[in-house]
Every structure is written in C-alpha cells, then in structure tokens.
Amino acid sequence: MLRLITDFDGPIMDVSERYYQVYQLCLRETRYPNQVVTELSKVEFWQLKRAHSPEKDIALKSGLDEEQAQEFTKIRKRTVHTQPYFQYDTLVPGALDALAKVQQAGIDLVVMTMRRVQELDYAVNKYNLGEFFPENRRYCLGNDYVKTRDIEDKPLLMARALAELPPAVNTWMVGDTEADITAAKKHGIKMIAVESGIRDHTQLQLYQPDLIIKDLITTVDMILSEKTRV
C-alpha cells in the first residue's frame, strides 16, 4: 500500500487572507490615534511571511514603534487561529482534484496538521472534505493541547500516526513548513515541500526536503506517474 500524508494549511488550504486580515486587525488595534502607519499590501505582507520574517519586524516595517510591535505580536498570537478568521481560508487551486486523484488511485490518504480538532472539523465540514479524510485518517491537536513549537509538536504527531496506522510499503509526506520537513525526516519518510504555502523556496531549501514542488496537484501527478512506472 502506498500512503500520502499531507499537511492541511498550505497544500490544501490557502491561509494568506486569514493572516492578512489578522495583520490589519493588529495594526488597527495598536496604532495611536492619528498615527501615520504604512499598511502593507497583501502581496508585500505575504512575501514577508513566506520569508519567515518575525511578527515584530512586520510591525516595525508597518510604522509601529517597539512597544506597539510587542503588543501587535501578542494580539496576533491570540487571534490568528480563532473564529471568525477561519472563514477567510480558501482551497488552494487544484487541491480538490489532487485529493480525488489520490483516492481514485487507491492511495491511503492521511491529513496531519497543527490545527486543533475543532479548527480542522470546521474546514472539513465547510468544504466537504470528509470523503477524503475519514476520522481515522485525521491527525491533529486536541482542543486542549498545550502547544510548544510546531517543529517539536509535529514530529510527535507523526510518531502517533505511524504507531496507529496500518503498515504501508511506501509513504510520502507533503507539507509547506520546516515542521513538516522535520517530522518527515525524523521518521525516515520521503518529504515533498510545496510552494503553495507559508514558506518560500529559499526557506524550504534550508531544511533540505527530498523535493520542492509547486503545489499538491503537481505533486500528486508526479507520484502517480512514478507509481505507474513501477
């Protein structure tokens, strides 16, 4: 059996608008009355996020001072993974077609994400993704899980998945962050990093995935062509 483990945000969901909406909120909440700030365009903001720029640097670049930048970072941290902001997430173009192709090919499909159960369920229900990811193929954080860092938490999630899932002859992991790459490498799984998420090519290269590919649909086509050759 061939298995594909995919991250959720990045390969499947485009979170850029959610992050940008929260950025705008943080700017509004921290600016002084009549203060002139430089609101970044969405393109400028997302380029900084994909280059892994710290939140404080984004705040300073927007014209806030040091004290404001600290408050900006706090507001962002407590807001970005909350409702009503999840409504701004959208499907990455081609993602649904990719999932359908995987399913039709008889490949075992697993989602592994740093979302909490309620956050993942919201998106799965909104976009009718349950047909691709039954509950026994969803690996995410509990609603009360105390997060440390994704780069530490995700390998633990991978370990749980590998212990619970039936054996597979070959497994691929698809993700868009250093946490995904670290989790796959730690457990000896082939890793494909996609450029449709929150890290750019340069940042992905730093963690040396096996491949860097444009997006999930391109990745799936590659895997299926390889499967056919075998």
Side-chain angles (χ1 to χ4, degrees), residues 71-107:
E71 183 62 20
F72 175 102
T73 301
K74 289 177 185 176
I75 295 173
R76 190 262 176 194
K77 184 176 182 180
R78 68 172 180 254
T79 307
V80 73
H81 299 300
T82 63
Q83 289 290 15
Y85 290 95
F86 279 107
Q87 68 177 308
Y88 293 107
D89 292 347
T90 57
L91 288 166
V92 172
L96 278 183
D97 289 339
L99 297 177
K101 282 186 174 186
V102 171
Q103 192 174 64
Q104 289 162 10
I107 297 171

Side-chain angles (χ1 to χ4, degrees), residues 200-217:
D200 60 24
H201 190 94
T202 300
Q203 289 297 314
L204 294 171
Q205 272 187 319
L206 294 175
Y207 291 86
Q208 300 180 320
D210 293 289
L211 293 167
I212 300 177
I213 295 180
K214 178 185 175 185
D215 52 22
L216 184 61
I217 186 66

Side-chain angles (χ1 to χ4, degrees), residues 164-212:
E164 294 177 0
L165 291 168
V169 173
N170 201 2
T171 301
W172 287 94
M173 170 76 183
V174 179
D176 68 318
T177 69
E178 57 278 3
D180 299 313
I181 299 170
T182 300
K185 280 178 166 284
K186 183 168 184 178
H187 294 282
I189 293 171
K190 288 181 290 187
M191 174 68 206
I192 298 175
V194 290
E195 297 179 287
S196 56
I198 201 167
R199 295 288 179 263
D200 60 24
H201 190 94
T202 300
Q203 289 297 314
L204 294 171
Q205 272 187 319
L206 294 175
Y207 291 86
Q208 300 180 320
D210 293 289
L211 293 167
I212 300 177

Side-chain angles (χ1 to χ4, degrees), residues 216-230:
L216 184 61
I217 186 66
T218 309
T219 297
V220 168
D221 287 342
M222 185 276 296
I223 291 173
L224 291 179
S225 67
E226 188 174 281
K227 181 172 180 275
T228 303
R229 285 199 301 270
V230 173

Side-chain angles (χ1 to χ4, degrees), residues 112-160:
M112 183 174 296
T113 174
M114 290 290 95
R115 285 192 184 218
R116 298 184 185 279
V117 172
Q118 61 193 15
E119 299 161 359
L120 179 59
D121 285 352
Y122 169 80
V124 166
N125 294 332
K126 180 177 179 180
Y127 291 102
N128 298 314
L129 300 176
E131 62 178 301
F132 302 114
F133 301 113
E135 289 193 8
N136 67 354
R137 291 299 187 272
R138 301 179 200 174
Y139 285 86
C140 59
L141 301 181
N143 291 328
D144 299 322
Y145 184 88
V146 179
K147 292 185 180 181
T148 56
R149 295 190 306 154
D150 286 1
I151 205 165
E152 296 170 1
D153 290 332
K154 197 137 199 179
L156 296 177
L157 200 58
M158 178 67 82
R160 179 161 72 87

